[in-house]
Amino acid sequence: MKSLGFFEVSGTAAAIDALDIMCKSAEVELVSWERKLGGRLVTLIITGSVSACTAAVENAAAHCIKKPAAYAVIANPHPETMRLAELSAKRLEKNK
């Protein structure tokens, strides 16, 4: 079962650190990332199995260089939630 993991932290460097931790912790992939407030608040969106996303997000929360502002894992997300994540991913691809 696919799930989405969300990890929000202050600062781009902390977000990159969290992403590295998550990808090394479990079999997850980056879907997209959103920068708000000029990059002062960064939200990472990952995907993988429920157990992989949970392990990755919890490990990043415990070991990231900054305390996260928020984090969550959504198991079996509703199609509208998936659509929101896909829209974010498309914006990321368009900016390349």
Side-chain angles (χ1 to χ4, degrees):
M1 175 187 309
K2 284 287 187 180
S3 66
L4 291 174
F6 298 87
F7 192 87
E8 191 167 70
V9 67
S10 175
T12 304
I16 292 169
D17 179 52
L19 179 61
D20 186 61
I21 291 168
M22 289 191 286
C23 289
K24 289 177 179 175
S25 299
E27 190 68 33
V28 295
E29 294 179 9
L30 177 68
V31 173
S32 185
W33 68 318
E34 296 283 336
R35 293 174 291 173
K36 301 296 179 193
L37 305 172
R40 291 185 305 228
L41 196 58
V42 181
T43 304
L44 300 167
I45 305 171
I46 60 168
T47 189
S49 68
V50 176
S51 59
C53 282
T54 301
V57 167
E58 288 178 356
N59 201 23
H63 297 100
C64 185
I65 59 175
K66 284 190 174 180
K67 183 179 177 186
Y71 57 93
V73 174
I74 300 175
N76 194 23
H78 188 275
E80 288 299 311
T81 306
M82 286 300 294
R83 190 172 78 103
L84 182 70
E86 290 165 0
L87 285 172
S88 177
K90 285 180 186 175
R91 279 195 306 268
L92 181 66
E93 285 297 317
K94 189 168 96 172
N95 290 336
K96 282 185 178 178

